[in-house]
């Protein structure tokens, strides 16, 4: 079984709909992240969470919200989806507590392809 | 965040070594050099990282220039599975952020 799973893997929705993307991890990591990737571009950080009570905005958080329901679960919501939110979304985890040299190596899920019509 | 510069693309032949360059002239003393790669239709995958000394692991080797302003990811025998977009990223120790640029597309010819 994969260590970092994302659901759904593909989603097509309409403008104005509320969408939730879910991420679960079995790695026992404390940190979790949400990124988006647009065609031909690198990944951009949306939100990150250092633990259940610590949520932080990334570089492109507008239009998104997150919830860290448990150490293993981190959800990304689009309250009112718009077409320019069409992208690949990746969840990632890292474990600073175990990373003694504090290099924040991140482990990524398989991604969710979201299309907003 | 300190910036890295990579070629847009490179080609290599299967079973030959390939050297992927990265320039990071504004690197600070506490920045780690990370390499990730992203295979088609998959999430990024950690490859290797280093600070000052050259590093080897089962996937690749990382050669870091003495002044740390550049580094080279070395795949000793490229396989078709190594065809991917490779990202060279600088991270500060303890930082939460990986800043991904556009990366470099590696094509491996059979």
């Amino acid at each position: 079984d994969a260590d970092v799973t994302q659901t759904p893997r593909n989603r097509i929705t309409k403008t104005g709909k509320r969408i939730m993307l879910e991420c679960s991890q079995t790695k026992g990591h404390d940190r979790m992240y949400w990124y988006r990737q647009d065609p031909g571009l690198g990944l951009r950080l949306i939100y990150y969470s250092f633990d259940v009570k610590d949520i932080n905005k990334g570089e492109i958080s507008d239009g998104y919200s997150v919830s860290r329901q448990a150490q293993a679960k981190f959800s990304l919501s689009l309250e009112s989806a718009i077409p320019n939110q069409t992208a690949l979304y990746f969840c990632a985890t890292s474990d600073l507590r175990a990373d003694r040299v504090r290099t924040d190596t991140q482990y990524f899920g398989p991604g969710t392809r979201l299309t907003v019509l | 965040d300190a910036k890295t510069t990579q070629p847009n693309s490179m080609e290599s032949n299967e079973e030959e070594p390939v050297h992927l360059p990265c320039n990071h002239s504004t690197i600070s003393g506490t920045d780690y050099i990370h390499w990730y790669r992203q295979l088609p239709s998959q999430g990024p995958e950690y490859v290797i990282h280093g600070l000052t000394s050259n590093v080897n692991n089962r996937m690749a080797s990382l050669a870091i220039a003495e002044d740390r302003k550049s580094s080279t990811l070395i795949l000793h025998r490229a396989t078709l599975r190594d065809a991917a977009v490779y990202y060279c990223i600088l991270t500060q120790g303890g930082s939460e952020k990986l800043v991904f640029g556009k990366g470099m597309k590696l094509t491996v010819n059979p």
Side-chain angles (χ1 to χ4, degrees):
Chain A
D1 288 336
D3 294 321
V4 184
T5 57
Q6 294 184 232
T7 56
R9 293 296 312 278
N10 289 282
R11 181 71 185 269
I12 300 173
T13 190
K14 294 182 179 180
T15 297
K17 295 291 187 181
R18 184 178 187 274
I19 295 296
M20 178 179 286
L21 309 182
E22 299 187 349
C23 176
S24 295
Q25 53 119 344
T26 58
K27 299 179 77 69
H29 285 177
D30 53 346
R31 294 183 166 190
M32 298 186 73
Y33 310 78
W34 276 105
Y35 292 87
R36 69 175 275 177
Q37 185 175 36
D38 296 281
L41 299 179
L43 281 71
R44 291 182 292 168
L45 184 63
I46 306 172
Y47 271 96
Y48 59 99
S49 170
F50 286 176
D51 64 35
V52 173
K53 296 181 180 179
D54 185 358
I55 306 277
N56 303 278
K57 292 182 177 180
E59 61 178 301
I60 55 163
S61 59
D62 287 349
Y64 301 95
S65 62
V66 291
S67 173
R68 185 85 181 264
Q69 301 95 321
Q71 186 192 38
K73 297 184 182 295
F74 193 34
S75 300
L76 176 72
S77 293
L78 288 67
E79 297 300 326
S80 179
I82 56 177
N84 75 3
Q85 291 178 313
T86 294
L88 264 175
Y89 289 84
F90 291 101
C91 174
T93 73
S94 67
D95 189 1
L96 198 64
R97 297 167 305 177
D99 187 351
R100 288 175 293 175
V101 295
R102 299 172 65 83
T103 62
D104 200 32
T105 298
Q106 295 187 16
Y107 301 88
F108 287 79
T112 294
R113 183 174 298 279
L114 176 66
T115 302
V116 183
L117 302 176
Chain B
D1 296 305
K3 186 177 177 179
T4 64
T5 304
Q6 300 175 256
N8 289 331
S9 62
M10 285 184 67
E11 282 195 34
S12 68
N13 296 318
E14 197 175 10
E15 299 189 4
E16 292 184 357
V18 58
H19 292 220
L20 287 64
C22 182
N23 289 319
H24 29 79
S25 59
T26 60
I27 191 171
S28 74
T30 57
D31 285 338
Y32 288 85
I33 303 159
H34 268 86
W35 284 82
Y36 285 75
R37 70 181 185 182
Q38 186 173 18
L39 279 65
S41 302
Q42 295 188 26
E45 173 187 34
Y46 166 78
V47 177
I48 200 167
H49 75 272
L51 183 61
T52 56
S53 302
N54 294 344
V55 183
N56 300 296
N57 67 19
R58 64 176 180 82
M59 292 180 69
S61 295
L62 177 61
I64 301 173
E66 192 170 339
D67 64 4
R68 301 210 324 126
K69 293 185 177 181
S70 65
S71 61
T72 302
L73 179 70
I74 302 167
L75 306 178
H76 296 285
R77 289 180 72 245
T79 69
L80 296 178
R81 193 189 176 280
D82 292 322
V85 176
Y86 285 78
Y87 297 94
C88 172
I89 299 168
L90 301 183
T91 66
Q92 291 192 336
S95 170
E96 68 286 352
K97 291 193 295 184
L98 291 180
V99 179
F100 286 82
K102 295 184 179 181
M104 187 211 73
K105 183 177 182 179
L106 175 66
T107 300
V108 180
N109 300 312

